[in-house]
Amino acid sequence: MKRLLSCLIIFALLFTLVACGNTPSNGDATPTPSEDPTETPAMIDLTEGGKYMNYEGAAGNPAHKLQALSGFTSNTITVISNNNHNIESTDFHAFRDVYGLDSQTDLTNDIITKFISQFMANSSPDIVAFTGINPSLINKGYLADWEQYIDFSLGLWEDLRESIEGVRFGGKIYTVSESAARQGLVWFNYALFEEQGVKNPMDHYLEGTWDWNTFRDLAKAMTIDADSDGIPEVWGCGISEPMMFVETTGTMWVSLKDGQITNNILTEGVARGIQMFADIYNDGSNYDGSDKKEAFGQSKIAMMSSGVWYRVAFGELIVKGDVGFVPYPKDPESDIYYIPETFGMLAVPSNAPNPKASAAYAISGRYNYLNKVTNITAKFDGLSPSEQVELYGWTGDMEKWIYDEFTNTSTKTPVLSPATFFDISPWSGDMWFRPLMGEPWSAIAEEIAPSIDDKIAELCE
């Protein structure tokens, strides 16, 4: 009995040792996980020595990280705007999520007057949101150089670098925006071209033959007067934006380069653009009514140059798949495919109370934009074509195509539109209508050039 009891005790001890993970025979124990020291993985440092916020790049791209900023005087900035530039709180926005800041927007119909009043009272907002450049405000010292606060050499701004340089004024950057607007386009009706057996603008664009001459030829070919009463049932084109023939020369009415505004009215590029519009008009192929977008929606116009927003008038055609668009036609005498752009929205007052937070706002807007465009069609997923058009005015494929094509600076060169800093409307009648009546453009240009010079001088006072 004693021997049995001893054996049972030894067996129990052995079982206990084995159960505890020990080997009793030689003392060379194999450690169990419970005996390993507990280690906490080190936090990954994305700051590169404090250059960036410790936060992932926009859309997961490490080249699009947020610039590190600090020294905010408060956690809120004020934006004064003549349009609703306040970023929706439902959007992801690093301004709030990362920097812990907030904004409030003050909307006004007369932004410049209100801003000057606030500036003089030393109660400026942190950001003034108006389109483009105001040379007078710059020359009077009302605005600060963004490069004091924003490092535009960082990857976040890579795709916009050419646009940023395009608005450099006196060596400094006084305006910036999250993206450049390049939306000058020609809408066309697929069904009408198919009915006439005529190659459509998209075919020409993809083949590399889309230029002024092609546009003119198609406009003539697509002007249909079946009953020969002198009033076409279908007009070949409706040109809402005749400036496309000037802008695609890369010349523009007036140009900005490093703070110098130049009057180009007397240049050969402007003259050729004006003449092309007059030639097309006198061909009898251009619909001259003020209701171009409605007429296009009724399939009375084969091609129409206009802005993106005209789509509201022909949603039914878009749903049917009858509508397409291409960029403005290329200048056939240029090796470069120029497209007009507007760029610049946000300016920082030289006495802004919280300028580093203003920079965080601008940087975050760019970050937010890059997050959106990587999944540009997500909002259209699961929607029928009619639902897409009802909600967004067009389809996801259209939105993606315009983004891909119009932002591709490897194939197209953006040129800053004068509308960004100079209003030509006082002379638009002289520019567009007098040549149609047969007046030589050279004489018209000589007449109005001094007035434009005076306006430029006034703008820069």
Side-chain angles (χ1 to χ4, degrees):
M1 177 66 82
K2 288 182 180 180
R3 178 178 294 180
L4 177 61
L5 182 59
S6 297
C7 288
L8 289 174
I9 292 172
I10 291 170
F11 179 80
L13 287 172
L14 287 172
F15 180 83
T16 303
L17 289 171
V18 171
C20 292
N22 295 304
T23 304
S25 60
N26 56 17
D28 183 16
T30 301
T32 64
S34 63
E35 292 177 318
D36 286 342
T38 302
E39 294 184 4
T40 302
M43 177 89 58
I44 298 175
D45 185 4
L46 302 175
T47 68
E48 294 187 22
K51 187 177 181 179
Y52 298 102
M53 298 291 290
N54 199 31
Y55 201 75
E56 64 180 0
N61 186 338
H64 295 163
K65 290 185 290 188
L66 287 163
Q67 178 182 341
L69 290 171
S70 61
F72 309 132
T73 58
S74 73
N75 66 350
T76 302
I77 65 166
T78 299
V79 180
I80 182 172
S81 177
N82 57 3
N83 53 57
N84 192 4
H85 190 75
N86 194 27
I87 297 175
E88 295 182 16
S89 59
T90 54
D91 286 345
F92 166 79
H93 201 267
F95 184 72
R96 298 180 175 87
D97 292 358
V98 178
Y99 292 107
L101 301 171
D102 208 344
S103 62
Q104 58 187 30
T105 302
D106 179 9
L107 299 178
T108 177
N109 291 326
D110 192 355
I111 186 171
I112 301 301
T113 300
K114 185 166 186 177
F115 166 57
I116 291 174
S117 175
Q118 291 179 341
F119 184 96
M120 298 303 291
N122 201 31
S123 58
S124 287
D126 297 288
I127 286 179
V128 189
F130 59 86
T131 301
I133 301 169
N134 188 306
S136 180
L137 292 179
I138 293 170
N139 291 334
K140 289 182 171 67
Y142 288 105
L143 303 180
D145 177 10
W146 273 119
E147 287 189 299
Q148 295 179 84
Y149 312 108
I150 298 177
D151 184 353
F152 291 112
S153 72
L154 300 183
L156 192 70
W157 304 96
E158 177 65 33
D159 294 342
L160 280 180
R161 201 150 292 143
E162 192 167 354
S163 300
I164 292 168
E165 290 302 315
V167 296
R168 190 175 288 279
F169 193 94
K172 299 179 180 179
I173 303 297
Y174 292 98
T175 186
V176 71
S177 52
E178 63 186 25
S179 63
R182 303 170 191 151
Q183 297 180 342
L185 50 81
V186 174
W187 296 95
F188 66 92
N189 187 312
Y190 275 112
L192 291 177
F193 278 89
E194 187 174 349
E195 287 172 11
Q196 298 302 316
V198 176
K199 187 184 293 187
N200 65 58
M202 180 62 80
D203 290 333
H204 282 285
Y205 177 75
L206 295 176
E207 291 174 3
T209 56
W210 179 237
D211 62 18
W212 296 359
N213 295 329
T214 306
F215 180 93
R216 185 182 183 186
D217 291 344
L218 293 185
K220 287 189 284 189
M222 291 301 297
T223 298
I224 314 299
D225 183 10
D227 56 11
S228 302
D229 65 353
I231 303 175
E233 290 82 38
V234 176
W235 296 82
C237 64
I239 302 176
S240 296
E241 304 288 351
M243 66 279 291
M244 73 179 181
F245 296 114
V246 172
E247 292 173 335
T248 48
T249 68
T251 305
M252 299 294 187
W253 309 111
V254 292
S255 58
L256 172 71
K257 186 169 183 179
D258 199 22
Q260 297 299 313
I261 301 176
T262 303
N263 182 355
N264 297 320
I265 293 300
L266 298 173
T267 62
E268 182 264 347
V270 171
R272 285 196 305 105
I274 293 285
Q275 188 60 54
M276 177 54 72
F277 173 64
D279 289 344
I280 292 173
Y281 184 91
N282 291 321
D283 287 339
S285 60
N286 179 60
Y287 180 82
D288 199 30
S290 60
D291 60 337
K292 291 181 181 64
K293 61 180 182 292
E294 289 79 15
F296 183 86
Q298 295 162 7
S299 297
K300 295 179 180 179
I301 299 175
M303 300 183 296
M304 176 177 61
S305 74
S306 71
V308 171
W309 53 91
Y310 271 43
R311 67 194 185 197
V312 298
F314 42 86
E316 290 184 9
L317 289 180
I318 295 176
V319 171
K320 290 168 62 179
D322 285 347
V323 176
F325 57 83
V326 290
Y328 286 161
K330 178 182 173 293
D331 175 3
E333 295 188 19
S334 174
D335 294 331
I336 300 173
Y337 199 144
Y338 292 104
I339 55 172
E341 78 168 21
T342 57
F343 179 75
M345 170 67 75
L346 306 179
V348 58
S350 56
N351 63 353
N354 202 2
K356 290 186 177 180
S358 303
Y361 185 86
I363 292 167
S364 299
R366 174 65 179 161
Y367 188 95
N368 192 49
Y369 173 79
L370 290 174
N371 268 327
K372 286 181 178 180
V373 298
T374 56
N375 210 2
I376 201 166
T377 61
K379 63 187 179 183
F380 298 94
D381 290 347
L383 299 176
S384 68
S386 60
E387 290 171 328
Q388 292 180 45
V389 171
E390 181 181 355
L391 288 172
Y392 303 110
W394 58 1
T395 67
D397 289 342
M398 287 177 146
E399 185 157 322
K400 187 175 189 315
W401 195 88
I402 195 172
Y403 177 80
D404 290 342
E405 289 297 313
F406 283 63
T407 59
N408 186 354
T409 55
S410 67
T411 60
K412 300 174 192 66
T413 299
V415 184
L416 188 67
S417 169
T420 302
F421 57 92
F422 190 87
D423 179 17
I424 66 167
S425 60
W427 304 280
S428 59
D430 296 297
M431 292 174 177
W432 297 121
F433 298 110
R434 290 172 60 183
L436 303 183
M437 302 299 106
E439 288 190 59
W441 170 249
S442 58
I444 298 169
E446 289 283 357
E447 178 185 328
I448 65 177
S451 298
I452 292 179
D453 286 335
D454 291 342
K455 183 64 176 180
I456 290 173
E458 177 186 336
L459 190 65
C460 293
E461 289 178 354

